[in-house]
Amino acid sequence: GLLERIETCLEHSGGEGFVAPFLDLVQAAGADQIMIFAYAGGGATCLLSRNFDEARLGARLASDYLADGFAQDPLHPRILALAPGAAELHRLADHLGAMPPDYRARFFDRPGIRDKSAVLVAGRRLRIAVNFYWRATVPVADALARLLARLALWHFEADPEPGLPAPLSALSTASSPTGAAPMPSWASIRAPPFSRSAARHRVRAWRAPPDRAGGGRRRRS
């Protein structure tokens, strides 16, 4: 059940074993896709991206968003202005009027995404947006979405040792978004400039293995 999955995430928070049970929890909660972005200054970093139906789609959408999409995101100014410790939940319908038509076409209409809940949450060092998307499933309950966002923030803000940046987990199950050869299971990415120390270090990014049964969705319980 969900409570057991939440407990597993708490047990692995801040460590390398967090991402897989967290994704299992997100899928069990009803999401068809999840993306987590961190924001600092004028840039954004993808911490996690997974589409549970089409593995390559999540990686491509994350790449497009980081290339130039985040600047068109109606929520971008709100996450930058969020006070530490604060959290906000936003539904797609609340911001359609402020969304450029090409942005909506790229990230919602063409991929077949019908709705979205975004939880913006600011911690001690990170400002992240935890985005839940769905096509035809029951939306993630607001209270559960807030809890999942807090779990993600606690994990990504955990310090493995003093002076090092938070462990960033950028996740994809497909080849790289640029169409190059598939990335190895472990790869390195440059940490965003959340602090001077973070800019001088590299962190590991974990890529989940493909589903064993042909890459399809797992049954929810």
Side-chain angles (χ1 to χ4, degrees):
L2 291 179
L3 291 179
E4 289 78 11
R5 289 177 166 92
I6 291 171
E7 183 179 17
T8 301
C9 290
L10 289 171
E11 290 174 354
H12 293 283
S13 183
E16 297 176 358
F18 173 83
V19 174
F22 181 74
L23 286 175
D24 181 61
L25 172 60
V26 170
Q27 188 177 18
D32 292 311
Q33 176 175 292
I34 181 171
M35 290 190 180
I36 301 178
F37 296 99
Y39 301 84
T45 299
C46 182
L47 305 187
L48 188 149
S49 174
R50 178 69 181 267
N51 183 293
F52 295 107
D53 289 320
E54 301 178 44
R56 294 177 183 272
L57 181 60
R60 179 177 63 80
L61 292 176
S63 178
D64 289 348
Y65 184 84
L66 294 177
D68 55 12
F70 73 92
Q72 297 180 297
D73 189 344
L75 296 178
H76 185 221
R78 297 192 68 92
I79 185 65
L80 294 181
L82 204 62
E88 298 178 355
L89 187 143
H90 299 266
R91 295 293 296 272
L92 178 63
D94 299 331
H95 300 280
L96 285 177
M99 189 176 292
D102 61 327
Y103 180 92
R104 179 175 178 176
R106 289 172 66 190
F107 296 105
F108 295 95
D109 295 342
R110 286 199 291 268
I113 301 297
R114 303 305 178 199
D115 209 346
K116 164 189 170 182
S117 288
V119 181
L120 314 183
V121 58
R124 293 177 293 107
R125 294 182 300 138
L126 301 182
R127 298 173 180 273
I128 66 173
V130 182
N131 303 289
F132 304 94
Y133 308 82
W134 55 90
R135 289 173 167 169
T137 57
V138 176
V140 177
D142 288 353
L144 182 55
R146 290 178 183 273
L147 175 59
L148 295 180
R150 291 288 185 184
L151 286 174
L153 180 67
W154 294 336
H155 167 69
F156 290 120
E157 282 215 314
D159 279 324
E161 55 185 276
L164 290 180
L168 306 183
S169 297
L171 186 143
S172 169
T173 60
S175 61
S176 67
T178 59
M183 296 183 294
S185 295
W186 285 97
S188 293
I189 60 173
R190 180 67 63 180
F194 299 123
S195 65
R196 293 180 181 178
S197 63
R200 295 195 298 268
H201 293 278
R202 298 182 72 85
V203 294
R204 290 185 297 179
W206 185 63
R207 185 168 66 90
D211 295 337
R212 294 181 179 178
R217 292 174 65 95
R218 298 189 304 275
R219 171 183 286 179
R220 300 191 183 105
S221 60

